[in-house]
Amino acid sequence: MTTSRRIQFGVFFQGVNFGTIWSSDRSGSQYDFESFRRIAQTAERGLFSAFFLGEGLRLREHFGRIHDLDIAGRPDAQTQLAALAAVTERIGLVATQNTTYNDPYDLAKRLNSLDLLSEGRAGWNIVTTDNAWTGANFRRGGYLEHADRYRRAAQFVAAAQRLWDAGDHGVGTAVSVNDQLVSFEAPAPLPPSAQGRPVLFQAGDSDEGREFAASSADVIFSAHPGLEEARAFAADVRRRLPRHGRSEEDLKFFPGAQFILASTDAEAREKAEWVTRAQVSPQTAIRFLEPIWGRDLSEFDADGPLPDIDPVVDEVDGQRGSLFQGRRALETAREWRESAAAEGLSIREFVIKRSSLRTFVGGYSTIADRIAQYVEAGAVDGFNVSPYLVPEGLDDIVDGLIPELQERGIYPSEYPGTTLRENLGLPEAGERAELAA
């Protein structure tokens, strides 16, 4: 290929999920530092741009009990990333941190600390929460109306940026914020890092989320890895940038994806069959349906048809989510039953099909050719990889796929710089601030 474009990778060490297979004898621990060290150092060996930790504020439960079929509990993200900063040199370190149940001054200081300790490699994945189930951890109930969560997020991020910018003028520079949902007075606690401030990531797909990314994010994660849908998503978000005083160079697109690779396409397809059935066990398939039905379904056979009973509609359970309440639960159950019956799918087969991750399956050369199409189209800047095994889930990518990409001239052969901002090809933080002024 003759192109100046390059593809990049990030790795997403997930929190709540069943995409990561924890039941295999090849799986590590979701608690031990060794799992995190191995993944991060493998990714750095493969010149990945970022190591990204998903994090939730409450352990997932299922009918009042801890949901133990997938990951349940993990060390604090920023603590983990600070430890990883000591055993890595170039890879970015990105923490999911919530704008609803944190305070701007405290979080801005902790992120600034990680940025300084890592010499300019910190990132912040900005998330919001509006449910009372999570809020119970903080004795705040629902705390925010749904419509206010992005308003607070925007004010929160702006306040953090003011603190970081003030640090450039000297530690102790006064900062006063008096917005409707965020208000404080404080001195700037720390000087800026080598990259100016942490890189901002965001993963909203709603209209509000896309607008927030266009106004505030440096990198947007998406659930649109297919070539045409990735191109359409990027076009929609990019057309929003000018009204926020931003250009296309200010925002990078990293859809999430899973890679199942082997020497040949046939071997990869065989591996994918094992992966999907290990991800969706019979117990996982039944529990996937239970939030929609609002009741225990353990009497049903995962290899049989979907339940022929109606969901519970009068039970209000925050764990079920708004889409599975009341009449919506009835509609969802009916649609799922009809779809499964039309295709002759069992419960487990239906869940495997419905929950299948955005996956590239094939031989190293085949997938490298597919990725080359994305590069030519300019549809994405990179992929955020969700490994299906920890800690060895990146080995095939680093040892098999990346050499093929480098041979095609579409993957870097060394890190472009020393900071996360440089390695992502983002403008300096000061340049963006001047454009937005």
Side-chain angles (χ1 to χ4, degrees):
M1 287 184 61
T2 56
T3 177
S4 61
R5 292 183 179 273
R6 298 287 185 274
I7 203 74
Q8 300 181 65
F9 287 130
V11 56
F12 180 20
F13 196 134
Q14 296 192 57
V16 173
N17 75 99
F18 57 81
T20 307
I21 301 168
W22 297 105
S23 58
S24 170
D25 57 8
R26 294 158 55 193
S27 299
S29 166
Q30 71 265 38
Y31 300 110
D32 293 346
F33 181 68
E34 177 62 15
S35 294
F36 298 83
R37 182 201 65 77
R38 166 83 183 274
I39 283 279
Q41 290 184 338
T42 301
E44 187 167 70
R45 180 166 62 85
L47 304 176
F48 277 48
S49 298
F51 175 91
F52 167 61
L53 274 179
E55 182 172 69
L57 295 179
R58 185 179 176 100
L59 292 179
R60 190 152 70 114
E61 298 175 12
H62 188 78
F63 295 132
R65 299 184 300 276
I66 298 299
H67 189 287
D68 58 0
L69 287 181
D70 56 32
I71 191 168
R74 196 169 62 193
D76 170 73
Q78 284 199 55
T79 304
Q80 193 69 259
L81 293 179
L84 289 172
V87 296
T88 57
E89 297 180 355
R90 291 288 184 268
I91 193 167
L93 303 167
V94 185
T96 298
Q97 299 288 283
N98 194 291
T99 60
T100 307
Y101 295 110
N102 277 297
D103 292 310
Y105 180 87
D106 175 61
L107 181 56
K109 180 182 178 182
R110 286 189 283 119
L111 288 165
N112 200 169
S113 298
L114 177 62
D115 211 20
L116 286 166
L117 288 171
S118 64
E119 299 181 311
R121 294 188 284 135
W124 171 19
N125 179 43
I126 304 160
V127 297
T128 67
T129 304
D130 66 348
N131 66 69
W133 182 61
T134 299
N137 276 10
F138 302 90
R139 303 184 70 176
R140 297 181 185 175
Y143 186 48
L144 280 178
E145 294 294 330
H146 181 82
D148 286 337
R149 63 186 181 127
Y150 276 116
R151 289 180 58 226
R152 175 175 165 86
Q155 294 173 19
F156 192 117
V157 172
Q161 288 176 315
R162 288 188 61 185
L163 282 165
W164 295 329
D165 291 343
D168 200 25
H169 299 291
V171 173
T173 301
V175 176
S176 179
V177 176
N178 190 27
D179 288 323
Q180 184 181 7
L181 298 173
V182 171
S183 179
F184 66 86
E185 292 184 7
L190 292 167
S193 74
Q195 68 174 349
R197 61 161 176 78
V199 174
L200 303 182
F201 293 71
Q202 199 264 345
D205 196 25
S206 66
D207 187 70
E208 288 176 315
R210 296 182 187 205
E211 196 68 29
F212 181 74
S215 69
S216 304
D218 299 306
V219 181
I220 183 168
F221 297 138
S222 80
H224 302 283
L227 180 55
E228 292 308 315
E229 62 179 354
R231 192 178 353 219
F233 177 82
D236 177 70
V237 177
R238 283 172 179 149
R239 70 175 175 79
R240 303 167 189 253
L241 291 167
R243 61 173 169 259
H244 299 288
R246 306 181 66 196
S247 68
E248 291 187 7
E249 290 72 29
D250 292 330
L251 184 62
K252 304 297 182 181
F253 292 81
F254 274 66
Q258 186 176 83
F259 288 78
I260 302 177
L261 305 166
S263 297
T264 68
D265 292 349
E267 290 173 347
R269 287 192 295 269
E270 183 177 343
K271 184 188 290 188
E273 177 68 19
W274 173 81
V275 169
T276 55
R277 297 193 73 79
Q279 289 171 327
V280 182
S281 67
Q283 296 89 346
T284 298
I286 294 296
R287 288 202 188 177
F288 185 89
L289 298 188
E290 286 178 339
I292 289 87
W293 266 260
R295 52 154 290 174
D296 184 291
L297 298 174
S298 57
E299 74 268 26
F300 289 89
D301 181 1
D303 292 322
L306 270 67
D308 56 1
I309 58 175
D310 284 334
V312 175
V313 297
D314 59 350
E315 178 182 331
V316 178
D317 180 355
Q319 299 165 61
R320 295 179 71 185
S322 61
L323 292 177
F324 307 138
Q325 301 289 345
R327 304 301 303 179
R328 291 187 180 185
L330 288 171
E331 294 166 3
T332 300
R334 183 175 62 252
E335 290 171 4
W336 286 16
R337 270 196 300 261
E338 291 174 355
S339 175
E343 298 183 59
L345 301 177
S346 68
I347 291 174
R348 191 179 185 191
E349 291 167 339
F350 176 79
V351 173
I352 286 174
K353 181 175 181 179
R354 183 167 188 85
S355 64
S356 60
L357 298 173
R358 286 80 55 191
T359 302
F360 289 88
V361 177
Y364 302 122
S365 180
T366 298
I367 299 306
D369 287 341
R370 283 185 60 191
I371 290 176
Q373 294 174 350
Y374 285 77
V375 176
E376 283 190 8
V380 303
D381 297 286
F383 291 99
N384 205 30
V385 180
S386 296
Y388 58 85
L389 273 179
V390 169
E392 66 178 69
L394 297 183
D395 293 359
D396 282 344
I397 296 175
V398 172
D399 298 327
L401 177 61
I402 285 177
E404 292 273 358
L405 297 174
Q406 290 171 327
E407 189 174 300
R408 289 161 174 75
I410 57 174
Y411 193 85
S413 57
E414 61 182 2
Y415 280 109
T418 61
T419 71
L420 176 56
R421 186 171 299 280
E422 289 172 329
N423 292 331
L424 287 168
L426 290 165
E428 293 183 8
E431 292 178 18
R432 175 173 159 181
E434 290 170 10
L435 286 171

